[in-house]
Amino acid sequence: MEPYATAEQVWAGGLIFARVGAVMMMLPGIGESYVPPRVRLSLALLLALVLWPLVGGTLPALPPTLGGMAGWIIREVLTGLAIGAILRSFMTALTTAGEIVSVQTTLGFAQTANPLEAQPGSTLSAFLMLLGVTLIFATDTHHLFIAGLLGSYEAIAPAKPLIAGDFAALAVRTLGQSFMLGVQLAAPVLVFALIFNLASGLVARVMPAFQVYFAAAPLSVILGLSIFALSLGVMGTVFIDRYRAAARVFAGGALG
């Protein structure tokens, strides 16, 4: 490698690649199982080369021992995985909203393969997850991921101690916000289900001989999905705004 790059340069590039590659494994859309590993590795290598002139001054010198090198690499991989996991965990808001809507419209039994989670899930959850990933790339929110990688070297510089406590607090706060957002996104269908079930109960009390279930079940599906479709634009707008705000935490180097 000496004719092309010095040992210090190879070390710096490899250290950046360790963090960037770990983040690429977890990001929504890029880190999915259907994306070929070569594509992720190529993108991570390209970003590492781009970030090298910008963050090279914050990297530690080449350790004299193999154990020191392994320790730094493991530290950067763990940092990248933590950043990617936090950014990915906010997507659970769409899963929560989809599951709530499925239960309230009696479609919870409708299962399909979710390509973003590599496991079966409700059809509406899979649809909302795909919608969320599409909105991320359609609104250029993925540009904030690159800015977040650069900002992470200011907030979580390799030469500084690893702030595991701040990572844990941010992860807990992000999961709490994502769950609350999921309930808020499904609020129109929740309100409809509450009113509809109360009305069905009153009809059953007034007319005990009337088969309420056979009349209410189709209406619950049709009206619930209609309200879900009408509120879909607002759901997408609110979600992408909240997600951009969450991504700016890293883009602005404001962690901790």
Side-chain angles (χ1 to χ4, degrees), residues 28-29 34 91 94 116 127-142 239-240:
Y34 54 79
M91 298 292 292
L94 296 176
L116 302 184
F127 169 73
L128 287 178
M129 289 289 288
L130 290 173
L131 175 64
V133 173
T134 303
L135 287 174
I136 287 174
F137 288 93
T139 57
D140 292 334
T141 303
H142 59 288
F239 167 76
I240 201 63

Side-chain angles (χ1 to χ4, degrees), residues 11-17 19-20 47-61 76 146-159:
W11 164 250
L15 205 59
I16 297 173
F17 179 78
R19 178 181 295 197
V20 174
L47 289 177
L49 293 176
V50 172
L51 294 175
W52 187 1
L54 301 175
V55 302
T58 64
L59 301 177
E76 288 300 290
I146 302 175
L149 287 172
L150 179 60
S152 69
Y153 281 92
E154 299 178 7
I156 322 165

Side-chain angles (χ1 to χ4, degrees), residues 89-116:
S89 64
F90 203 83
M91 298 292 292
T92 57
L94 296 176
T95 304
T96 303
E99 292 294 339
I100 293 175
V101 173
S102 298
V103 171
Q104 297 302 324
T105 56
T106 68
L107 293 177
F109 62 87
Q111 300 286 309
T112 187
N114 191 337
L116 302 184

Side-chain angles (χ1 to χ4, degrees), residues 147-194:
L149 287 172
L150 179 60
S152 69
Y153 281 92
E154 299 178 7
I156 322 165
K160 297 179 180 179
L162 188 62
I163 46 178
D166 290 343
F167 264 126
L170 182 59
V172 171
R173 186 167 71 248
T174 301
L175 284 174
Q177 291 174 350
S178 64
F179 179 79
M180 182 175 63
L181 177 60
V183 176
Q184 291 173 348
L185 294 177
V189 180
L190 278 174
V191 173
F192 156 75
L194 176 62

